[in-house]
Amino acid sequence: MQKFDVLIVGGGMVGLTLALAIRKQSDLTVALADTQVLSELTEQPEIRVSAINAASQQIFTRLNVWHDIAGQRSQPYHHMHIWDKAGYGKLDFNLDDVSGSSKPDQLGWIIENKVIRNALWQKAQSDEGISFFTEEAIASIGVGDSEVFASFGSSVPITAKLLVGADGANSWVRKQINMPLTFRDYDHHALVATVSCEQGHQDTAWQVFLPTGPLAFLPLYQQNLCSIVWSTSPEEAQRLRGLDKAEFAKEITAATDGKLGRVSLESELGCYPLMMRLAQDFVKDKVVLIGDAAHTIHPLAGQGVNLGLLDAAALAQTLTGQLADGQQQSPDDISNEILLKQFARWRKSEAAEMIAAMEAIKQLFTPQQEVSKLIRGIGMSLLDNFSPAKKHLIRQALGYKGKLPDLAK
């Protein structure tokens, strides 16, 4: 039987970030279990991408992996343009709206998920304190008085002082430990794809609010390519998926008012349902949930992965910080209930705040009466011309809000 300090189930971006953050700040040993191994980048960009904000970029920089990520296929954006299809309201965000010593060189980065995961995975493999378990999925989990036991179908079982579920929205760990979940169907499906834009993306993230939901154009590493996230009703998503490429091009070009020129589909059209999820508890006994296993939000602001990366940095700080401070006598105490509950309160409050903000924005742009559209348009125009409010919103988008873990500062 192999023994570790921390067992992380889920080797996606969040789980790998946690493993690297723990190792950077301590000598704790980490086991990482995930049967989905690396896949090579293809010539065509992956249709699933992430908007990485300044706080997340700082985490990757501190973990000495940002150079590996940014050196591959990544695209900074310096502007954001948001408008209301049903009215005249619009918002423009630029680097000029950011002030202070922490002003970054860009508003954010659009990077394929595979690029980020591959760089993190390779970095983790070079750390002798991180052991990978990729041959078999964990078959069962048992929580004892001092350890968590994980068994495989035929491999040798492993034990750890703490188990972390970083295994996504449909978390197997969450189900095994019977951790209750609050959820609500957004009644939206997200269409994701790579498209080409006649006029190029202009280093800008574009978003139009349509009567059925938001459509975002996220700039990719080639000037004519964008990744789209089109959130719409299930019925509309099914209709759009049934169109041929020429028909789809006409619809999406019309939806953008021609601001990017003619838009055409360059990949398959992926589709997945959107649901808000929030675990009622992020901690139970010696088990912790982070990332999508703990919370999922609407993608309209592109903050889901950033929220998860902050979870990882915060949990690593909670575990390793106490060891460094001498408040714990040994690594045996990393499952200390008081410390873990403090982490849970910290991160759950941040997740709940983000969920509420996304719900407010979604409701604001649902189909309404003409007078509501008028008020919404006036409000957007006023905000666009009110510098203090814009600066506050941009700092939030950059991730500079709330209680930040040290790795993100």
Side-chain angles (χ1 to χ4, degrees):
M1 185 174 293
Q2 301 182 68
K3 295 180 177 292
F4 298 90
D5 294 310
V6 181
L7 166 60
I8 302 171
V9 179
M13 292 182 281
V14 172
L16 288 163
T17 297
L18 173 62
L20 290 171
I22 288 173
R23 290 294 300 163
K24 179 176 179 61
Q25 301 171 91
S26 74
D27 291 326
L28 296 173
T29 55
V30 177
L32 198 147
D34 194 326
T35 56
Q36 185 178 350
V37 296
L38 293 188
S39 57
E40 295 297 322
L41 295 176
T42 62
E43 185 177 341
Q44 295 297 319
E46 183 187 11
I47 63 173
R48 297 295 293 270
V49 304
S50 292
I52 297 300
N53 65 20
S56 294
Q57 179 189 355
Q58 183 65 9
I59 292 172
F60 291 147
T61 299
R62 294 281 184 87
L63 296 178
N64 298 318
V65 74
W66 176 247
H67 181 268
D68 298 328
I69 294 172
Q72 297 187 63
R73 301 197 308 214
S74 60
Q75 174 62 44
Y77 58 96
H78 305 100
H79 318 279
M80 295 175 64
H81 179 65
I82 304 165
W83 76 102
D84 182 5
K85 181 76 170 178
Y88 65 87
K90 70 177 183 65
L91 284 168
D92 285 288
F93 297 107
N94 300 286
L95 280 174
D96 293 340
D97 297 315
V98 184
S99 60
S101 59
S102 59
K103 180 177 179 178
D105 295 327
Q106 61 285 310
L107 293 178
W109 296 76
I110 304 300
I111 309 174
E112 297 160 72
N113 290 0
K114 188 183 294 186
V115 168
I116 301 173
R117 183 177 187 246
N118 286 6
L120 291 168
W121 187 288
Q122 290 162 3
K123 186 73 172 180
Q125 282 191 317
S126 68
D127 190 317
E128 62 182 13
I130 301 175
S131 299
F132 283 78
F133 293 82
T134 60
E135 297 300 321
E136 290 183 279
I138 295 176
S140 64
I141 296 170
V143 180
D145 292 336
S146 59
E147 291 179 312
V148 178
F149 301 84
S151 63
F152 300 88
S154 58
S155 303
V156 176
I158 61 177
T159 67
K161 302 178 181 71
L162 185 71
L163 168 66
V164 180
D167 52 341
N170 298 310
S171 171
W172 178 82
V173 170
R174 189 182 64 224
K175 295 172 184 176
Q176 293 298 305
I177 305 300
N178 193 26
M179 301 175 82
L181 188 69
T182 299
F183 62 91
R184 188 177 76 79
D185 192 336
Y186 281 123
D187 197 29
H188 265 185
H189 283 190
L191 298 175
V192 293
T194 301
V195 299
S196 63
C197 306
E198 183 180 35
Q199 296 181 8
H201 55 63
Q202 303 160 52
D203 298 341
T204 298
W206 307 77
Q207 186 165 45
V208 54
F209 281 92
L210 305 169
T212 56
L215 165 60
F217 283 75
L218 307 175
L220 291 176
Y221 57 93
Q222 293 182 14
Q223 275 292 319
N224 68 315
L225 294 182
C226 284
S227 177
I228 63 163
V229 182
W230 194 339
S231 303
T232 188
S233 66
E235 297 78 17
E236 180 67 359
Q238 183 176 5
R239 185 188 72 81
L240 290 168
R241 294 187 77 193
L243 300 177
D244 62 29
K245 283 196 171 185
E247 292 171 330
F248 185 85
K250 290 180 182 178
E251 294 244 0
I252 195 170
T253 301
T256 63
D257 299 320
K259 293 192 178 189
L260 293 94
R262 178 176 171 78
V263 180
S264 57
L265 191 62
E266 297 292 331
S267 71
E268 77 272 18
L269 193 60
C271 183
Y272 60 96
L274 299 177
M275 183 175 292
M276 183 281 291
R277 300 175 180 86
L278 182 64
Q280 294 181 18
D281 294 298
F282 287 14
V283 173
K284 182 178 179 181
D285 298 325
K286 295 175 176 58
V287 180
V288 183
L289 299 179
I290 62 173
D292 284 356
H295 46 70
T296 60
I297 64 174
H298 199 286
L300 64 87
Q303 291 300 314
V305 69
N306 295 300
L307 202 60
L309 294 172
L310 288 174
D311 287 348
L315 181 57
Q317 180 174 315
T318 299
L319 303 179
T320 64
Q322 296 302 322
L323 290 169
D325 290 344
Q327 296 181 31
Q328 293 177 297
Q329 297 303 308
S330 74
D332 293 335
D333 296 330
I334 60 172
S335 59
N336 181 288
E337 183 178 3
I338 296 175
L339 296 178
L340 294 180
K341 291 293 185 183
Q342 289 174 352
F343 159 82
R345 286 193 296 270
W346 174 8
R347 296 310 306 158
K348 187 176 181 181
S349 65
E350 294 286 338
E353 181 181 335
M354 186 66 72
I355 286 171
M358 295 306 98
E359 181 64 23
I361 295 173
K362 181 177 179 294
Q363 291 300 321
L364 179 64
F365 286 92
T366 54
Q368 300 174 32
Q369 301 298 318
E370 289 301 319
V371 64
S372 299
K373 296 176 185 177
L374 175 63
I375 294 172
R376 185 174 67 210
I378 293 173
M380 290 181 71
S381 296
L382 289 173
L383 180 59
D384 195 44
N385 290 285
F386 186 54
S387 181
K390 286 183 71 174
K391 288 180 179 180
H392 176 71
L393 288 175
I394 289 180
R395 287 190 64 80
Q396 289 193 320
L398 292 170
Y400 298 149
K401 62 178 291 295
K403 178 186 176 184
L404 286 177
D406 292 342
L407 281 178
K409 293 179 181 177

